[in-house]
């Protein structure tokens, strides 16, 4: 949200059989679903409805219409998922009334997924999970078929298609499901590890802020090197890096890469690399320290509680005023009132 508008829209839907595209404007739950440029009827694809139900239930946001404008109450990404559900023809409120949430695993940057346990009035129980594609794939044992059954997981297909969508600058989110017994009332991590059925993925666009592009250009003109640290997929991050004008958008280091690097190796890599993807807040502290070891003055932005050590260590710690935690604000030297880069 610092470099992008933080206005999400589902633009792609990937199932085991097809790659659909969606259009529409803003958060209005209306739009056309296309397959190879031809409009399709969602009712002919059961997998779309199952994905739409997962999107509606594994969700903490709300949509409301005010004077003809649709707005999100909560996370913009989750708002985009509710809009997607509406475009497929799913009655979100009806689904949420029929399926009561009985437990949940909240999203965390360490485990990179959110899971919910739901029960209906006819003694059925399900677990729905959404999260980073590579994480969700690792938690699945099979995938849904067009006929509603299951088949072996096609890992190569999913990885290739994820890269293809991410290269367009879209943020990719995967969904999986598991049926459980009705007396299952507590959701634990062991319930979702290696037990899930992959339903599909969605790709979301979040356009760069025009003023962020100008600001990055201004920084470069002033001799300030801008580096992006994100939880996004590497190819998504690279695409956004190119759009906003980062100096070296073609080299990306992931959190997994950083974990394998010694401090000396990181010191050598950190100067020329401008994009760090799939990172956790703990990586920020290492990056600040590595840059400072070259005698560089480092400003670091952050919003989470876990960003506080990096904000403290940086020469200029900058917290987000709107979505920033109190811990981040207290640790920072500056607070951005509008979260705008």
């Amino acid at each position: 949200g610092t470099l992008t508008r933080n206005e999400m829209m589902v633009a792609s839907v990937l199932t085991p059989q097809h790659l659909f595209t969606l259009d529409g404007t803003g958060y209005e739950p209306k739009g056309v679903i296309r397959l190879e440029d031809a409009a399709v009827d969602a009712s002919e694809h059961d997998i779309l409805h199952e994905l739409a139900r997962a999107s509606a239930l594994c969700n903490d946001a709300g949509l409301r219409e005010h004077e003809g404008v649709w707005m999100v109450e909560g996370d913009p990404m989750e708002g985009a998922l509710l809009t997607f559900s509406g475009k497929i023809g799913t009655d979100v409120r009806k689904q949420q009334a029929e399926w009561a949430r009985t437990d949940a695993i909240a999203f965390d940057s360490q485990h990179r997924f959110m899971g919910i346990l739901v029960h209906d009035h006819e003694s059925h129980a399900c677990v729905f999970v959404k999260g980073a594609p590579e994480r969700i794939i690792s938690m699945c044992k099979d995938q849904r078929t067009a006929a509603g059954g299951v088949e072996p997981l096609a890992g190569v297909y999913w990885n290739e298609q994820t890269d293809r969508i991410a290269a367009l600058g879209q943020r990719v989110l995967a969904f999986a499901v598991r049926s459980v017994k009705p007396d299952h009332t507590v959701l634990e991590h062991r319930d979702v590890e290696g037990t899930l059925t992959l339903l599909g993925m969605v790709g979301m666009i979040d356009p760069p802020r025009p003023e962020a592009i100008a600001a990055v250009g201004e920084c470069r003109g002033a001799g300030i090197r801008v580096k992006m640290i994100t939880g996004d997929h590497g190819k998504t991050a690279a695409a956004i890096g190119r759009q906003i004008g980062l100096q070296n958008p073609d080299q990306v280091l992931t959190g997994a890469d950083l974990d394998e690097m010694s401090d000396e190796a990181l010191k050598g890599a950190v100067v020329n690399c401008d994009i760090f993807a799939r990172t956790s807040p703990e990586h920020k502290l290492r990056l600040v320290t590595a840059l400072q070891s070259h005698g560089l003055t480092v400003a670091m932005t952050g919003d989470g509680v876990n960003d506080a050590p990096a904000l403290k260590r940086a020469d200029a710690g900058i917290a987000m005023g709107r979505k920033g935690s109190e811990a981040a604000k207290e640790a920072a030297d500056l607070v951005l009132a509008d979260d705008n880069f």
Side-chain angles (χ1 to χ4, degrees):
T2 313
L3 296 168
T4 57
R5 291 181 190 172
N6 213 18
E7 295 171 358
M8 307 292 284
M9 188 178 98
V10 173
S12 305
V13 182
L14 179 65
T15 70
Q17 298 80 27
H18 302 295
L19 175 59
F20 298 90
T21 57
L22 277 79
D23 62 20
T25 54
Y27 291 105
E28 184 179 12
K30 291 179 183 174
V32 179
I33 303 137
R34 301 182 192 278
L35 182 58
E36 296 176 352
D37 291 333
V40 299
D41 184 350
S43 65
E44 296 173 2
H45 299 273
D46 290 343
I47 190 75
L48 288 177
H49 288 276
E50 198 167 4
L51 267 170
R53 182 172 66 173
S55 296
L57 295 176
C58 197
N59 202 309
D60 292 325
L63 277 185
R64 67 183 178 91
E65 187 183 10
H66 179 65
E67 296 178 357
V69 178
W70 285 85
M71 293 181 289
V72 178
E73 293 173 342
D75 186 280
M77 184 171 70
E78 295 200 322
L81 294 174
L82 295 179
T83 299
F84 156 66
S85 298
K87 288 177 180 178
I88 298 301
T90 297
D91 186 329
V92 172
R93 288 183 179 173
K94 185 181 177 186
Q95 286 291 337
Q96 291 173 343
E98 285 179 3
W99 291 90
R101 187 186 297 190
T102 41
D103 202 9
I105 297 172
F107 178 85
D108 183 272
S109 59
Q110 295 292 338
H111 58 244
R112 292 187 292 142
F113 72 85
M114 171 190 179
I116 61 161
L117 173 63
V118 291
H119 288 73
D120 72 1
H121 304 298
E122 296 169 11
S123 297
H124 298 115
C126 276
V127 173
F128 289 104
V129 179
K130 72 175 184 203
E134 61 270 36
R135 182 70 181 98
I136 299 301
I137 288 170
S138 74
M139 297 160 70
C140 290
K141 60 179 173 51
D142 50 32
Q143 65 188 37
R144 183 68 81 232
T145 65
V150 294
E151 62 188 6
L153 192 66
V156 173
Y157 165 82
W158 292 107
N159 289 328
E160 285 177 350
Q161 294 291 350
T162 300
D163 286 352
R164 178 181 163 191
I165 298 169
L168 300 172
Q170 296 180 20
R171 294 178 173 179
V172 189
L173 202 61
F175 289 86
V177 67
R178 178 193 171 193
S179 293
V180 292
K181 292 179 179 177
D183 59 359
H184 202 109
T185 55
V186 178
L187 185 61
E188 298 180 271
H189 282 257
R190 65 184 178 191
D191 296 323
V192 295
E193 291 293 350
T195 61
L196 304 175
T197 297
L198 186 62
L199 294 176
M201 301 181 185
V202 299
M204 287 176 273
I205 49 172
D206 179 14
R209 294 186 183 206
E211 60 271 27
I213 297 170
V216 169
E218 215 174 317
C219 285
R220 287 182 66 171
I224 300 168
R225 184 88 174 237
V226 180
K227 296 179 184 286
M228 179 168 71
I229 306 171
T230 176
D232 280 343
H233 186 283
K235 283 194 162 54
T236 305
I240 292 172
R242 276 188 285 274
Q243 290 167 19
I244 62 171
L246 292 189
Q247 211 160 316
N248 179 17
D250 297 321
Q251 183 187 356
V252 179
L253 286 175
T254 65
D257 295 331
L258 300 185
D259 289 338
E260 290 178 6
M261 285 184 174
S262 66
D263 289 342
E264 198 59 36
L266 182 58
K267 181 181 174 181
V270 73
V271 175
N272 291 321
C273 183
D274 289 338
I275 299 175
F276 301 91
R278 288 291 190 238
T279 56
S280 63
E282 289 72 22
H283 292 125
K284 287 187 175 182
L285 182 59
R286 282 193 74 198
L287 291 169
V288 172
T289 306
L291 287 163
Q292 287 174 331
S293 71
H294 290 278
L296 295 167
T297 300
V298 182
M300 169 69 78
T301 64
D303 57 16
V305 172
N306 295 342
D307 290 332
L311 292 172
K312 266 196 182 327
R313 177 65 193 246
D315 300 285
I318 305 166
M320 303 293 108
R322 285 187 175 175
K323 66 173 184 174
S325 62
E326 289 307 312
K329 292 177 192 177
E330 284 174 19
D333 304 295
L334 298 165
V335 177
L336 286 184
D338 60 2
D339 286 8
N340 186 344
F341 182 79

